[in-house]
Amino acid sequence: MVTGWFAGEGDDFRLLGTRCAACTSVFFPREDTFCRNPGCDGGALKEVPLSRRGRIWSYTDNRYRPPAPYASDPDVEWQPYTLIAVELAAERIVVLGQGVPGVTVDDLAVGMEVEAVPGVLNEDAKATWTTWHWRPTGVTA
């Protein structure tokens, strides 16, 4: 995916955002140019690791192959996946991401706690594209 959006492994895995020094607004995807808060005159933007856990704000399933630039092999049968919007209470933001493979909408509920874990978006003989997935806490899938 995009360099600088996440870092670490295992329990140290975190999404990376930025925080404005003036108004303390947090941004994800990260913002490195200016504070996007319209009520702020702007301040220095500092990289911050985001909360690893949050609560499901909304969710759905994706049953079709997205168009380019989404990376996927058109010769491989499409596998539906869940999309989960997660509220990070400490940062007061909602972050969208895929659910871990094997988790369906039948396994999810609004308000359920989930955690960010490393995942694979796509891979081929030349490269592996990594991303984050949301996994319900207590699930090891």
Side-chain angles (χ1 to χ4, degrees), residues 8 35 48 58 62 68 91 94 109:
C35 179
V48 292
S58 184
N62 189 12
E91 291 85 0
V94 175

Side-chain angles (χ1 to χ4, degrees), residues 57-81:
W57 185 74
S58 184
Y59 60 93
T60 190
D61 56 353
N62 189 12
R63 297 202 165 268
Y64 67 93
R65 185 185 313 271
Y70 185 88
S72 71
D73 184 345
D75 296 327
V76 174
E77 181 181 351
W78 177 251
Q79 296 296 318
Y81 59 85

Side-chain angles (χ1 to χ4, degrees), residues 20-102:
C20 175
C23 69
T24 70
S25 293
V26 176
F27 304 104
F28 183 86
R30 60 184 299 127
E31 175 59 67
D32 293 315
T33 308
F34 63 92
C35 179
R36 294 189 302 236
N37 178 348
C40 179
D41 291 332
L45 296 165
K46 179 181 177 187
E47 180 177 278
V48 292
L50 302 182
S51 301
R52 184 159 186 235
R53 292 184 176 197
R55 300 226 172 250
I56 295 177
W57 185 74
S58 184
Y59 60 93
T60 190
D61 56 353
N62 189 12
R63 297 202 165 268
Y64 67 93
R65 185 185 313 271
Y70 185 88
S72 71
D73 184 345
D75 296 327
V76 174
E77 181 181 351
W78 177 251
Q79 296 296 318
Y81 59 85
T82 56
L83 286 171
I84 307 172
V86 176
E87 181 178 20
L88 303 178
E91 291 85 0
R92 298 176 47 206
I93 62 175
V94 175
V95 176
L96 185 66
Q98 291 184 14
V100 293

